[in-house]
Amino acid sequence: MQSSLFSAALAALLAAASFSTQARTLGPPPADTIVVRLPNKAVLTLVVRDAQQLRQLPQYHLDSLVARLDGYIRRADAATKAADTERLTTVFHPNQDQPDQGLPEEIRITTRKQSGSAYGPSNKVEVLLEKKFGVVVNIDGKTNDQPRAAASRPDRQAYRDSLREARWDRKSSSTDVIFDLGLNALVNNRIDRVTPAGQTPTSPLDLRTGGSRYVNIGLNFKQRLGGRRSPLYLKVGPEFAFNNYMLEGNHKWVNQNGLTSVVLETNGRQYQKTKLATSTLTVPLMLQLNPHGHSHFRLGAGGFVGYRLASWTKLKYFEENTTYKDKDYGPYNLNDWQYGLQGVIGFGSLTFFAKYNLNPLFRAGQGLQAQTLSFGLRLLQ
């Protein structure tokens, strides 16, 4: 009976399609909505862009779709009863289950818990056919002939929450481009300064704050751990980090006799910039918490391991009315492998990060024995 009613309604809609086309003289609007109230209290709503889409409906075998929907609704109702929310949206993909059968690409069923009723007072079935037009079926649990009242504010909010949960379900994994911009500092400095033999020790080592920059760009692969409502994610991915260690005053980095040192320039030359820079391939491994209902809040912690790709020193000075930039590549007794801890905390578009190297920047006995601390803002993720 329900199938014949559906067929009759569809035939009426197809007959009216030519009238709808003739009446449209200024070009079709983005979408037309056609509402059909069936004798069994069901409401059928079709959303189409033009009459041609309406004429294409028979190729999707909508009669058999009605029978298929009954099974989907029962499965959605069972999922809602087992869920810990009052309202739940379940998504089915018939065309993926049975390819090349002319089945809908997506069916979304929103149900809510209700005692004494098979499917609750208002189940909404959204059918997407080849991403062209939609069919919406409202199953009303009322038995009188009065039209169903407009949804209340709590119902509308519950529906929005169900859509948000559906989007939450789809975000079980993702790939994010990240871009960090921050500063470097040297901590746990066990030797204030390192100077070559025979030279007078200088004042304690200081880094120029604004020039000791940290830049990091990479990809993070994020995978949810646990069930669909789990707020815990695992993040891993390749990153390229660039660390600058710029000195204050007229000091410079010197590499000689197997020792990387910081010394004061004594020949009268005044440096505008003097820095040691490194580039590193880093692989982080982090656990990130996105509490359910607060998808914009992030809290993550974990570790990282990286390998030094290149290192160099750069001197910039002005002499005889000419600006010189001397760049010298070399290992500078740096540890090739770096490893440490890192964390992020953010809300919305604002995210802070911090990275702490557990091993020293230089090899033991061949340079400054201190760890690197990088911190700043994550501009992309």
Side-chain angles (χ1 to χ4, degrees):
M1 178 64 179
Q2 186 180 26
S3 177
S4 61
L5 289 174
F6 191 90
S7 301
L10 181 58
L13 291 173
L14 294 175
S18 59
F19 175 78
S20 174
T21 304
Q22 295 172 1
R24 193 177 298 116
T25 59
L26 297 179
D32 288 340
T33 301
I34 304 171
V35 180
V36 180
R37 294 185 179 275
L38 301 178
N40 63 352
K41 307 300 182 181
V43 179
L44 173 67
T45 304
L46 293 95
V47 182
V48 297
R49 288 201 305 266
D50 51 37
Q52 180 62 30
Q53 285 191 341
L54 193 60
R55 297 189 186 100
Q56 293 174 351
L57 281 175
Q59 74 183 46
Y60 295 104
H61 310 292
L62 298 186
D63 285 352
S64 61
L65 174 62
V66 173
R68 182 181 297 271
L69 287 178
D70 179 67
Y72 284 153
I73 293 176
R74 293 184 184 277
R75 289 167 59 184
D77 182 57
T80 304
K81 292 178 180 179
D84 54 2
T85 59
E86 291 297 321
R87 199 176 184 97
L88 180 67
T89 295
T90 309
V91 182
F92 301 93
H93 300 90
N95 191 47
Q96 294 182 11
D97 298 336
Q98 297 180 355
D100 302 324
Q101 299 295 320
L103 298 177
E105 189 170 294
E106 183 178 281
I107 295 179
R108 303 172 62 85
I109 301 178
T110 301
T111 57
R112 72 177 184 184
K113 294 180 180 178
Q114 177 72 13
S115 58
S117 175
Y119 303 135
S122 178
N123 289 343
K124 185 173 184 179
V125 181
E126 298 179 356
V127 183
L128 182 63
L129 306 176
E130 302 298 338
K131 295 187 177 180
K132 293 179 180 178
F133 47 87
V135 179
V136 179
V137 180
N138 289 322
I139 302 175
D140 198 334
K142 293 184 177 181
T143 57
N144 56 40
D145 294 332
Q146 297 297 324
R148 188 164 57 92
S152 63
R153 179 174 297 179
D155 285 343
R156 293 196 301 269
Q157 182 61 47
Y159 180 64
R160 288 193 293 268
D161 291 343
S162 67
L163 293 181
R164 189 182 304 110
E165 287 188 6
R167 291 193 297 269
W168 181 273
D169 291 342
R170 291 194 295 270
K171 292 183 178 179
S172 61
S173 62
S174 64
T175 301
D176 302 322
V177 177
I178 66 165
F179 180 72
D180 298 335
L181 184 61
L183 301 173
N184 288 313
L186 293 176
V187 297
N188 297 332
N189 188 350
R190 295 192 293 272
I191 304 176
D192 288 338
R193 52 214 173 270
V194 178
T195 58
Q199 293 194 20
T200 303
T202 63
S203 58
L205 173 65
D206 290 319
L207 293 181
R208 186 182 301 178
T209 303
S212 300
R213 292 184 295 272
Y214 171 83
V215 178
N216 182 53
I217 186 170
L219 292 175
N220 274 183
F221 304 104
K222 184 171 66 174
Q223 176 63 51
R224 177 185 290 158
L225 300 179
R228 68 175 186 85
R229 294 181 59 83
S230 172
L232 189 62
Y233 290 83
L234 177 67
K235 300 187 69 175
V236 63
E239 299 176 0
F240 292 93
F242 300 88
N243 295 75
N244 286 332
Y245 305 94
M246 187 173 292
L247 299 174
E248 281 284 11
N250 210 36
H251 299 88
K252 64 180 180 179
W253 297 95
V254 175
N255 184 33
Q256 62 183 33
N257 300 325
L259 183 66
T260 300
S261 314
V262 177
V263 299
L264 179 66
E265 179 61 61
T266 57
N267 64 0
R269 179 182 295 168
Q270 295 296 316
Y271 292 114
Q272 295 172 293
K273 291 182 180 179
T274 171
K275 69 178 181 180
L276 172 67
T278 66
S279 62
T280 308
L281 172 63
T282 304
V283 178
L285 184 64
M286 294 182 59
L287 292 176
Q288 182 166 302
L289 190 66
N290 287 44
H292 186 59
H294 300 81
S295 58
H296 294 293
F297 175 73
R298 297 172 297 280
L299 180 64
F304 68 90
V305 61
Y307 183 79
R308 180 180 59 86
L309 300 176
S311 54
W312 62 93
T313 57
K314 184 176 181 180
L315 299 175
K316 182 180 179 181
Y317 54 93
F318 186 78
E319 195 171 72
E320 297 179 354
N321 297 323
T322 304
T323 299
Y324 294 91
K325 296 180 181 179
D326 296 340
K327 200 171 186 179
D328 183 26
Y329 285 88
Y332 287 94
N333 300 301
L334 293 160
N335 276 315
D336 290 333
W337 290 96
Q338 295 287 325
Y339 56 89
L341 305 174
Q342 65 177 352
V344 296
I345 183 171
F347 188 85
S349 60
L350 184 63
T351 303
F352 297 94
F353 75 89
K355 299 179 69 174
Y356 174 67
N357 289 42
L358 293 175
N359 62 329
L361 180 62
F362 296 94
R363 299 188 184 101
Q366 295 180 290
L368 188 70
Q369 296 300 289
Q371 281 82 35
T372 299
L373 174 65
S374 305
F375 55 91
L377 290 174
R378 176 155 291 181
L379 304 180
L380 290 178
Q381 82 161 17

